[in-house]
Every structure is written in structure tokens, then in C-alpha cells.
Amino acid sequence: MRVLRTLLRPGWIALVIVVVAFAAACFMILAPWQLGKNASTSERNDLIKHAVATGPAPIDEVAPAGVPFVRSTEWREVTLTGTYLTDEQALVRLRSAGERPAIEVLTPFRVAGTDRVLAVDRGFVRPDQSQTPVIPAPPAGQTTITARIRASEGTSEGRGARVEDGSLTVYTIDPAELSKATGTAMDPFYLQLSPDQPGSLGEIALPQLDSGPYLSYGLQWLAFGIMAPLGVGYFLYSEIRQRRRSKAAAAAAAASSPAVAATSGAETSEAGVSVAAPVADAGGLSRSDRRKRLRAELRNAGSTAAPEAEADDTSMPVGIGAGPDTEHSEGVVRDKLTQRYGG
């Protein structure tokens, strides 16, 4: 019940809600996001290693016409013969190559003897002071090229193809978007031209075979998701333990504090006067108790109760001006009484 009462405090309720939300985000969003990127990067590296170790093959063997794109064929090097369609060329802006701004050139390529058209990324050129640079034209007529299969990048909403400075411009390499803009049907993937091929421009290097920090990031988010509830549990345990210690210390202090000593009863003198007995000194009395005790001791020391005269005692004659009976006095006491009262 004490733990429940502690948890029901507003501060603890808010803390528990925040920690639960954070742990849920770690396990359901952040960690899967990083681990997913690590899995994708590892898969890409495996495909690149396999593709580099495998020689070029005719495109009809690796990716036949009319067949949907197969993920396992990405990065495979293929050969094909055909003609560049320079009239349907597009520029891919806002790219980077060698950590510098670049513009990639996307030129459709029609396979000889067929209606099959594939978008070919010929490489990059550097922008000329934010203006469209002069793009070297690919060779005219039929030619044979070697290129690597690449998956479409897709197109974000509002980032479709448009004409800028007299050139068809796109911001991602998406054959479907290029087909829509040119009116020419193309395969759902594109080709990245290999170095030193007819029509090639600046070389786009293969990605580095590095998995990156995604795995460690994912494990860190998992650790954070575990540590956060454990931290709340530790703080809750510490607070409960501290409260128990404080309560035990208060009980011990109450048990060791001196109780005020009660009077042992009233003693009645022979004269019938009720006199309070001295207060026992137990040590550690409060200021008010010490004052009461001092007053009681002073009363006891200063009070004298004369013995009640017996009814038949003639030593104290009754009446005003009557002196004591000296006959019953002896010695010096009788002489003093005689001198004082007369005999």
C-alpha cells in the first residue's frame, strides 16, 4: 500500500508516463529504425560484393524485358546495345559527388531491335555558378554500353519533373516519373553507366562497403529502453527506503526521549498540610519541568508545619497575652520562655 500511495503521487505518475512512452519509442521506433538501416546496408554490401565478383552479362539474361525488378539483381553489371535518346534527356539536380555539388545526367537508351527503353545515368557534371552547364552529347547512332542495374529512388510529392532553364529537371532518379514526363515507357529500374563507356561523364563511385554505426545506434536505443524503467525502479526503491529510515529514526528518538517524572503523591504533614514530594531527577528534563521541580523543592525547604497542639496540652495557654507554661519546659528553653513571656 505504501508503494502504491507513492506511485499515485502526481510527480511519480508523470515520470512513469514519460518513461513508458520513451521506452516504447525506443523498442518500437528508434531501435527498429537503426537496425533496419543496418540490415539494408549489410544487404547492399553483400549485393555489391557479389556483383563485383561477377562479370558483365547480357541484360536479357539478368533482367529480361517485361519482368518486374528483382532486388537481388541490383548492382549487377550488364551489357546492351542500342541508341541514346538525347531529346528525352533529363538533369538530376541537387546531387553530390566527391563532397561537392553535382548534376547527374539521365539519358534514355533504346535497346536495338526492340521497343525497350531504359534510363541510363551517364555520370555527373559540375554546376556553373548555379546555372545549367553545357552537357557533352553522347555518341550518335548504335553503340554498346556496360552499366550496373540500380533500383528506382522514387519521387517525393511535389518534387516531380519540371522544365528549368530550358532543360527537363528532376530531383530523384525515378524511371516512372521520367516516363510520365517524356511520354516514353521505361523499365522500372535504371542503369548506372560504368567508367570509360560511350557517353560516360564524371564517374559515380560505388558506395564504400561499410556497415556504418547503425548497429551500435540500434543497440544503444535498446539499452536506453531497458535502462529508463530500471532507473525509475531504483529511484522508487531509494525513496521508499529513505522514508522507512526516517520513520525508524523518529521512532527511536521518541523511545529514547525522557518522560516527565510524575510526583510520587502528596505527603500530608502532621499539621494536615499537603506537601508535594520532590520530583525525581531522571536527567534531560525540559526547561518547564526543571522550573516546576525547582519550585517544588523550594516549597518543601521553606515550609514548616508545627505539630498540632493536643487538646489537653497546657503548654500553650489559651487567651490573648497568655504566656507559655514554663513548668513543662526544661533547662535553657524554659528560661528563655520565662524571659520572653514572663513566668
Side-chain angles (χ1 to χ4, degrees), residues 74-316:
E74 188 174 14
W75 300 104
R76 281 292 308 275
E77 201 168 31
V78 295
T79 59
L80 61 163
T81 302
T83 307
Y84 282 109
L85 305 178
T86 55
D87 294 339
E88 300 177 3
Q89 181 171 274
L91 303 181
V92 189
R93 296 185 182 272
L94 302 181
R95 309 293 274 196
S96 176
E99 300 182 355
R100 294 175 55 194
I103 298 176
E104 295 183 19
V105 181
L106 199 61
T107 307
F109 189 88
R110 185 185 302 276
V111 178
T114 68
D115 294 333
R116 187 179 187 184
V117 178
L118 299 97
V120 177
D121 186 353
R122 295 166 52 201
F124 70 88
V125 294
R126 300 294 182 187
D128 184 11
Q129 297 181 354
S130 302
Q131 297 180 358
T132 302
V134 177
I135 307 298
Q142 185 170 299
T143 184
T144 300
I145 61 174
T146 300
R148 295 188 182 277
I149 297 176
R150 295 294 310 276
S152 172
E153 297 177 358
T155 301
S156 301
E157 185 177 357
R159 303 289 288 179
R162 66 190 68 182
V163 177
E164 294 183 4
D165 296 333
S167 301
L168 182 63
T169 300
V170 294
Y171 295 94
T172 57
I173 303 178
D174 184 359
E177 183 67 21
L178 186 60
S179 297
K180 187 187 302 183
T182 60
T184 301
M186 301 183 190
D187 281 21
F189 57 91
Y190 73 97
L191 301 178
Q192 180 176 308
L193 199 61
S194 298
D196 302 326
Q197 294 296 310
S200 64
L201 301 172
E203 178 184 356
I204 300 176
L206 293 176
Q208 294 182 354
L209 300 181
D210 184 7
S211 298
Y214 307 120
L215 177 60
S216 60
Y217 288 165
L219 296 178
Q220 287 177 8
W221 285 121
L222 291 177
F224 293 155
I226 296 173
M227 292 168 60
L230 291 179
V232 173
Y234 173 76
F235 291 137
L236 178 62
Y237 168 74
S238 298
E239 181 169 341
I240 294 174
R241 183 178 60 178
Q242 183 62 32
R243 289 188 177 186
R244 289 177 178 176
R245 287 180 176 177
S246 300
K247 187 173 293 185
S256 62
S257 61
V260 179
T263 58
S264 60
E267 294 181 355
T268 304
S269 64
E270 294 180 359
V273 180
S274 178
V275 181
V279 180
D281 186 8
L285 295 177
S286 63
R287 180 177 298 179
S288 60
D289 293 338
R290 290 198 299 269
R291 289 179 179 177
K292 291 179 181 179
R293 177 180 175 181
L294 181 58
R295 286 197 294 267
E297 290 178 352
L298 290 175
R299 286 197 299 269
N300 292 338
S303 65
T304 57
E308 183 179 0
E310 296 182 359
D312 57 350
D313 191 358
T314 59
S315 63
M316 185 64 69

